Amino acid sequence: MTFLWPQFLWFLAAVPLLVLLYIWLLRRKKKLALRYASLSIVREAMGVRQSMRRHIPPLLFLLAMIAMLIAAARPMAVVVLPSNQQTIILAMDVSGSMRAADVQPNRLVAAQEAAKAFLKDLPRHVKVGIVAFAGSANVAQLPTTNREDLVQAIDSFQLQRATATGNAIVVSLATLFPDQGIDVSNFGPQATSNRQRGVPLEQAGKPPPKEFTPVAPGSYTSAAIIMLTDGQRTTGVDPLDAAKAAAERGVRVYTVGIGTVDGETIGFEGWSMRVRLDEETLKAIANKTQAEYYYAGTAADLTKVYNTLSSRLTVEKKETEISALFALGAAALALLSAGLSLLWFNRIL
């Protein structure tokens, strides 16, 4: 536990003095009581239980004062709170290799079922968007709270050739920040040639995209990207360049690898290809954006990964000020102290 105003804790040094003052007052009353001949009768009337009662209200009041002093120091503690995550982008690989049946019934169906189960576990207020990617990346569903539209978008996936993991991140960022002019053409060699050619005719007269100031990786807590893929990038934007853009905007990119790590030849419709899960790149993307990488070798593993992500994205550990809790405890102790004193002795302390 830490404190924003630790100087107030110095007042706790007065607590032992208050205890000594209370003991002194008790002894002083005892000496005054010796003057009365009926002291022994009073003691017999009070009894041990009654004499113990007299100390309970002052003790509770002392604890209330300690709690108030701690509250004044503004304590901070790491507590688990509901996340303020408002938007999640699911970037899902729909390349031809997702037809492979090493994950039953096949990679695509397993990913679709796990994604739909993930949607059920999310709070209804969280918006979710769908980006489908293969040789290019497209928004299958803009961020929405309508789970039926999201399920429909997931069920409508069509397999395509190639894998552009970098494009998936860029399109996801463009969906989260539509005012920043994020586009695939702004990355890599194509961005250099575009700058040399000047502004395209269709963009002439349009206001320039809003400038942004890079922030700390992982600091943007209002959105996150979850990218699922089963292969290495074969075309499009370098995924590490795209991850850098996400990190500069504070967006975490959680990566999920599904399929064969060592590589496998997959063939269908008269053609074949060699696919390999590029775990190193996926781990690098997650690390660069302060997120995590998960490997799912089976459909059960994939469901477990999505369950883990759901829990991680809906609650978070955060250092939070808990002064109100101590103040509430102090008020309760003070009221209890006064109430018991009135009940037992017809006076407040």
Side-chain angles (χ1 to χ4, degrees), residues 15 67 80 131 165 178 202 207 225 227 251-252 268 286 301 347:
V15 172
V80 176
V131 171
T165 51
E202 63 271 14
I225 298 171
M227 184 174 70
V251 177
R252 299 177 191 265
F268 59 93
D301 290 341
R347 67 176 189 269

Side-chain angles (χ1 to χ4, degrees), residues 33-53:
L34 289 174
R35 299 177 183 178
Y36 299 93
S38 60
L39 176 62
S40 60
I41 301 175
V42 174
R43 283 181 175 175
E44 290 177 4
M46 289 180 60
V48 176
R49 184 177 178 182
Q50 188 72 8
S51 61
M52 290 295 295
R53 276 186 177 182

